[in-house]
Amino acid sequence: MPLYKIALIGANGTLGPSILHALLTSSFAITVLSRASSKSTYPPPIRTTHLSDSLPTSELIPALQGHDALVVAFAGSNDDLQIRLADAAAAAGVKRFIPADFGSCDSASLRAQQLVPIYQAKERVRRHLHELASSYSSSSGEAFSWTSLVCGHFFDYGLQSGLLGFDLAGRKARFFDGGEVRWSTTTLAMIGEAVVRVLRREEETRNRMMYVQSFCVSQGEVLAVLERVGGGKGEGKKWEVEEVRSEEYIQEEKSKIDRNPGDAEATENLVGVLGIVDGNWEGKKDFANGLLGLQGEDLEQVVRRVVGIGE
């Protein structure tokens, strides 16, 4: 039986709305799992199941029964909750679990795990999924399984937020290693489409990590497009470029985290640089654009959309 009844948790975050839209326009039967305190509402035919804010297993299992897949779209740092969701999904008979492994770095990278604790959390979730898939194996094909989608930086979000090294309003850019390093990055809409393609290719995507992208670009290429299309509050102002050596920057930000593990700004800065200097998926054996039938997007069209400039 194809994966048709899909549960989604985290539908109102940065990525969740794009996944929800892709599922809805692809004619899946969708249930949004929502905390009782949430004020978010969703139109028909989306079904909403409200659960206690603590999301206890005793409520998760019956809520997930009858669903073919569960997609997790909240922050990937919450590994304890993801593991509880995976356990509940397996017990409920859910066939596919897609964890919150999406961005910005390769969570299988030892370097990313050593530098940024969130990727240790994602690795812990993935190890648990391996164990569950072995425990709930079945020759009938109805077994529990998982797919991790790794998408690099969320391009549209990252360009607007400054994560990619661009201050759109101030016309300033921070280039790592000359701005020539190429890195894989994916728009929120493309990530939603990648989730749909995974669900429609159940056998080919079973129990594996898959790397996808909208395009593989350099910071220099992004700046060239920004200069060409203009737009934004600082239009007419010349772009200023700060040249930074990535290794020195990484060590500086890591030392801040060593002194204060709760330094959110330093953590985000590390994620930003690692997603650029260690973020090219095209040479990976599990690079999956071809298998999933995903076509690359046009960089200039996407940049125009992000900065609000029409064709």
Side-chain angles (χ1 to χ4, degrees), residues 259-294:
R259 292 193 299 270
N260 175 18
D263 191 331
E265 181 178 355
T267 297
E268 182 167 319
N269 289 341
L270 267 182
V271 169
V273 62
L274 286 172
I276 291 172
V277 301
D278 288 334
N280 188 335
W281 306 155
E282 291 187 333
K284 289 185 173 292
K285 67 180 181 64
D286 289 319
F287 179 58
N289 272 40
L291 187 151
L292 296 177
L294 293 171

Side-chain angles (χ1 to χ4, degrees), residues 5 62-68 92 94:
K5 295 182 179 180
L64 289 169
Q65 286 174 341
H67 290 86
D68 299 310
V94 172

Side-chain angles (χ1 to χ4, degrees), residues 177-188:
D177 303 332
E180 298 177 353
V181 179
R182 299 181 67 79
W183 37 282
S184 298
T185 177
T186 314
T187 63
L188 296 171

Side-chain angles (χ1 to χ4, degrees), residues 1-304:
M1 294 289 291
L3 303 176
Y4 172 66
K5 295 182 179 180
I6 314 301
L8 172 65
I9 187 166
N12 60 345
T14 298
L15 177 58
S18 296
I19 294 177
L20 181 61
H21 177 75
L23 292 172
L24 187 60
T25 56
S26 300
S27 301
F28 288 95
I30 308 162
T31 300
V32 170
L33 301 183
S34 181
R35 285 183 166 90
S37 61
S38 174
K39 300 296 192 295
S40 299
T41 59
Y42 305 95
I46 299 168
R47 175 186 172 193
T48 304
T49 297
H50 290 95
L51 304 167
S52 300
D53 284 5
S54 61
L55 300 175
T57 301
S58 60
E59 294 182 21
L60 285 170
I61 292 175
L64 289 169
Q65 286 174 341
H67 290 86
D68 299 310
L70 172 60
V71 182
V72 182
F74 55 64
S77 56
N78 197 337
D79 51 337
D80 286 339
L81 178 54
Q82 286 207 78
I83 286 172
R84 191 190 324 150
L85 286 164
D87 288 342
V94 172
K95 292 183 284 186
R96 180 62 50 91
F97 186 94
I98 300 180
D101 202 2
F102 300 99
S104 289
C105 306
D106 178 5
S107 61
S109 163
L110 291 178
R111 189 184 194 201
Q113 293 172 24
Q114 291 166 354
L115 290 170
V116 188
I118 183 178
Y119 297 105
Q120 298 175 18
K122 291 184 176 185
E123 172 68 14
R124 178 178 175 236
V125 171
R126 200 164 49 252
R127 286 199 306 268
H128 190 72
L129 295 175
H130 273 290
E131 295 169 1
L132 282 177
S134 298
S135 298
Y136 285 83
S137 61
S138 168
S139 60
S140 68
E142 299 297 309
F144 176 86
S145 61
W146 59 275
T147 307
S148 281
L149 275 171
V150 183
C151 313
H153 284 315
F154 301 167
F155 183 81
D156 30 8
Y157 167 81
L159 187 59
Q160 290 175 321
S161 68
L163 185 65
L164 305 184
F166 297 93
D167 175 357
L168 298 182
R171 284 293 200 273
K172 297 178 181 179
R174 174 185 288 149
F175 273 11
F176 295 110
D177 303 332
E180 298 177 353
V181 179
R182 299 181 67 79
W183 37 282
S184 298
T185 177
T186 314
T187 63
L188 296 171
M190 178 71 90
I191 297 170
E193 182 59 29
V195 169
V196 168
R197 301 296 178 92
V198 165
L199 294 171
R200 286 181 168 169
R201 292 165 171 78
E202 182 180 359
E203 290 306 316
E204 302 98 310
T205 62
R206 179 187 300 274
N207 297 333
R208 58 183 295 189
M209 293 185 73
M210 308 187 80
Y211 298 82
V212 298
Q213 66 181 31
S214 290
F215 28 67
C216 188
V217 295
S218 69
Q219 288 179 296
E221 290 171 333
V222 175
L223 179 57
V225 173
L226 285 167
E227 290 178 323
R228 186 161 63 247
V229 305
K233 296 179 181 179
E235 186 166 10
K237 179 182 176 183
K238 182 177 176 59
W239 278 84
E240 300 175 21
V241 177
E242 175 191 9
E243 298 281 355
V244 177
R245 293 182 178 178
S246 64
E247 287 304 318
E248 293 178 1
Y249 185 81
I250 287 169
Q251 293 309 313
E252 289 171 3
E253 298 305 308
K254 181 63 167 62
S255 67
K256 295 177 185 177
I257 295 174
D258 290 341
R259 292 193 299 270
N260 175 18
D263 191 331
E265 181 178 355
T267 297
E268 182 167 319
N269 289 341
L270 267 182
V271 169
V273 62
L274 286 172
I276 291 172
V277 301
D278 288 334
N280 188 335
W281 306 155
E282 291 187 333
K284 289 185 173 292
K285 67 180 181 64
D286 289 319
F287 179 58
N289 272 40
L291 187 151
L292 296 177
L294 293 171
Q295 300 297 317
E297 297 188 80
D298 182 89
L299 177 62
E300 182 165 329
Q301 289 180 359
V302 173
V303 170
R304 285 181 177 275

